[in-house]
Amino acid sequence: MGPAALRRLAPQAAKASPSTLMGMRAFHQSAVKNSFFTSRTTITNATKKSTTHSSTPASSLLARLAGASRSYYQQTQQTVSQASPLRKLLVGGAIFGGTLMAVNLVFNRETREDGGMPLYEREYLNNTFLHTGLGIGIIAITARAMIQSGFVFRIMTANPWAVGIGGLALSFGTMIGTRSIDPDNYLPKYALWTAFNATQAAFIAPLMAFAPGALLARAGLYTVAMMGSISIVGATAKQEKYLYLGGPLLAGCAIVLASGLAPLIIPATAVRTLAFTENMWLWGGLAVFGGFTLYDVQKVLHHARLAERGVIKRDPVNESISLELDFLNIFIRMVQILMMQQNRRK
């Protein structure tokens, strides 16, 4: 019945007798008290609230089904949340094992012929990796402290050129100072090494401030898997097999650096060129610094042999600087790649 029909019936309803109206009211009350409408109302309330019990078997069955489905959903959520860390651990192990097998098949067909790694090489390599882990830990803790204290915000609001040039100067200055100090002078050497790690933390802190914690954990896991597998290959390969890579890797590093500075020169309208330079920065950088990891591990073993003969002094702090830079460059690219994939899914 449309609005026009209602408007036409309104005068007739106003002229109706009181007896007619009383009869309509009595019929309405009897209809509400009817058991048919009462049962439908009870079933509807039981379906919506899942807590009201009706006298009919159908309503109780619906309530039991609703409760069972809700409890099953909650148990499923708990099971998924409990299995999530185990799944990440299995994925990380699979990535590490697969990367190790692939790199071994490609690069490590010829192993050492001198009966394996001598004890002095193993101790020097383990000491170098220990300092590398300590340095990465210092960088992570310092970067987190910079984020929580607001230092990162002050860096980002300051002049970018002054911050960039000043940060590079401090980074190179502390690195050169650490390398130049004799390893027997523990206090100044470790002090400058800590300052070098603090400068690296200032570089990666802005990236860590905007990336989710789960994504950073995944990037760290992938970086450890990649560097660990390549380090095993470098440690078990023939002596000085990959030391020739120093020159080509330096050239590749220059190309990657140029591709990273390309957006400062190339106009924003050259979309394809910028996309190519971005891929060169990300994927080319992964390849270059993965090669640097292989080169640096073999260089550590070479220096261990020289130190055993008394040509140079054992200096795991200097050796760890190169591996820390490899880790940071790979980690930064892993974070950027994972963030790009996350944005594409949205």
Side-chain angles (χ1 to χ4, degrees):
M1 184 179 294
L6 289 175
R7 282 195 297 270
R8 285 196 300 270
L9 290 175
Q12 299 177 3
K15 294 179 181 179
S17 60
S19 61
T20 305
L21 293 175
M22 292 295 293
M24 292 175 63
R25 189 180 299 113
F27 174 76
H28 177 71
Q29 291 176 356
S30 63
V32 170
K33 293 179 181 180
N34 198 322
S35 61
F36 174 74
F37 291 98
T38 304
S39 63
R40 290 192 61 179
T41 306
T42 306
I43 294 174
T44 304
N45 292 333
T47 306
K48 290 182 178 179
K49 298 181 180 179
S50 301
T51 57
T52 305
H53 298 281
S54 175
S55 59
T56 59
S59 62
S60 61
L61 179 61
L62 288 174
R64 287 197 298 269
L65 289 175
S69 62
R70 184 168 57 252
S71 62
Y72 174 75
Y73 180 71
Q74 292 174 353
Q75 291 176 0
T76 305
Q77 280 188 333
Q78 292 177 358
T79 304
V80 171
S81 62
Q82 291 175 358
S84 180
L86 180 59
R87 181 181 178 183
K88 292 180 180 179
L89 183 61
L90 292 176
V91 170
I95 292 172
F96 179 79
T99 308
L100 178 60
M101 290 180 61
V103 176
N104 262 304
L105 290 174
V106 175
F107 296 104
N108 204 17
R109 297 178 182 177
E110 297 179 358
T111 57
R112 298 182 60 147
E113 300 174 353
D114 55 353
M117 187 184 302
L119 181 60
Y120 63 90
E121 289 186 11
R122 186 181 296 109
E123 290 179 352
Y124 192 57
L125 186 62
N126 291 337
N127 202 3
T128 300
F129 278 121
L130 176 62
H131 282 79
T132 303
L134 289 174
I136 294 171
I138 293 172
I139 292 172
I141 294 172
T142 308
R144 182 176 177 81
M146 289 179 178
I147 294 171
Q148 292 179 345
S149 63
F151 181 74
V152 174
F153 177 76
R154 291 193 293 270
I155 290 177
M156 297 176 65
T157 55
N159 189 349
W161 288 103
V163 171
I165 295 174
L168 286 175
L170 285 174
S171 178
F172 280 107
T174 52
M175 181 179 65
I176 294 172
T178 304
R179 289 182 179 276
S180 61
I181 295 177
D182 191 89
D184 295 332
N185 298 328
Y186 296 104
L187 186 60
K189 191 172 187 67
Y190 278 94
L192 277 177
W193 180 62
T194 305
F196 166 76
N197 292 327
T199 60
Q200 304 309 306
F203 277 115
I204 68 168
L207 181 64
M208 294 178 63
F210 290 100
L215 189 143
L216 293 175
R218 287 176 58 195
L221 180 64
Y222 296 160
T223 305
V224 171
M226 180 176 176
M227 286 195 65
S229 59
I230 294 176
S231 298
I232 293 175
V233 171
T236 57
K238 293 179 65 176
Q239 292 183 1
E240 303 179 2
K241 180 180 180 180
Y242 297 109
L243 290 181
Y244 74 93
L245 293 175
L249 288 174
L250 188 60
C253 184
I255 295 174
V256 171
L257 179 61
S259 64
L261 298 176
L264 300 176
I265 304 173
I266 300 176
T269 55
V271 180
R272 293 184 178 179
T273 305
L274 290 175
F276 175 76
T277 56
E278 184 179 9
N279 290 328
M280 181 64 69
W281 165 260
L282 292 175
W283 302 104
L286 283 180
V288 168
F289 289 102
F292 266 118
T293 303
L294 188 64
Y295 169 79
D296 289 333
V297 170
Q298 288 237 307
K299 186 178 67 174
V300 170
L301 298 178
H302 176 66
H303 289 171
R305 291 189 290 271
L306 293 179
E308 183 67 17
R309 294 197 296 265
V311 179
I312 61 174
K313 290 185 177 181
R314 298 166 61 92
D315 196 349
V317 175
N318 286 357
E319 307 290 352
S320 66
I321 290 177
S322 300
L323 291 173
E324 286 180 35
L325 293 176
D326 297 338
F327 182 91
L328 291 177
N329 280 281
I330 295 174
F331 175 75
I332 290 172
R333 284 161 177 81
M334 287 290 185
V335 172
Q336 292 176 343
I337 291 171
L338 292 177
M339 290 181 68
M340 290 173 58
Q341 292 178 353
Q342 190 176 26
N343 293 332
R344 288 172 184 172
R345 291 172 185 172
K346 293 180 181 179

